[in-house]
Amino acid sequence: MLVVLSAILIRLCLVTTYRVQGDAMMPTYKSGKLLWINRQATPERGDVVVIKHQKKGERSAQHYLARLIGLPGDSLDLSPNGVLVNRRKLEVPSSLLPREAYSFVVPRSGRTYRLTPLSLVPCRGAIAQEGGEGISFHQGKLYRDGAETVFFHFRRDYYWLLADNPASGPDSRHLGIIPAESIVGVVMGAN
C-alpha cells in the first residue's frame, strides 16, 4: 500500500507523462512517443520542455513541445546568417532563420528593457498580459496609457523556444516569449 501511495504522490507532484502529438520535434521525438516529464527540474538551455500555452482567441490552453534556446536575461541575435545566444553561435536549421535580422534580450523578472519595433514582436503578448488595459500597440510601437514608450518593466521570467522541425510546430517564433509558469516540465526520458 505504501508503494502505491508513494507512486501516486510522485506522479502528482514530480513526474507526469506527455504523448507527442505532431512532428514539431522530429527527428528527436516522433508523434505518438510517450515522454516522462520532470515537473520540478529547472529548465536549462538545450532542454526539451512541455509548455502549456493559450493562443489569443482559443478557449483552452494547448500543450506544445519545444527546445529551450534562450533563458531569462539571455541576449539573442537572429539573422539570415544564424542565431547567436550571448554572442555564441547556435547551430540551427536554416529554416529557423528569420528574413530580417533582429536582436533582443529574453526578459528577466524585475528588469526594464528598451524595445525596438522588431524586438517588440516576440514580447508583444507578454507585454499585453503584464501591462493590462493601459497597453496598446500601433504601427510597431508600444503605448502605455496613450503615450508612446520604448521601455517596459517585466515582472516575470521568460524563455525562448524553438521546435527541432520548424515546419511542423509552433515555437517562440509563433507564440512569442514563454513565461516560466507556462513550462510544465523538462523531458527526462522517452518510452
Side-chain angles (χ1 to χ4, degrees), residues 3-58:
V3 172
V4 171
L5 184 57
S6 296
I8 290 170
L9 284 174
I10 288 171
R11 171 88 161 101
L12 290 174
C13 301
L14 301 175
V15 177
T16 190
T17 57
Y18 173 78
R19 188 158 310 274
V20 178
Q21 300 170 4
D23 296 329
M25 289 305 294
M26 285 281 289
T28 310
Y29 298 114
K30 295 179 181 175
S31 188
K33 189 73 141 171
L34 184 66
L35 304 178
W36 293 94
I37 310 302
N38 183 338
R39 292 177 153 187
Q40 300 299 314
T42 301
E44 296 179 11
R45 187 176 299 101
D47 285 345
V48 176
V49 297
V50 173
I51 63 165
K52 189 173 184 178
H53 183 80
Q54 186 168 351
K55 292 182 186 176
K56 189 175 180 178
E58 288 186 352

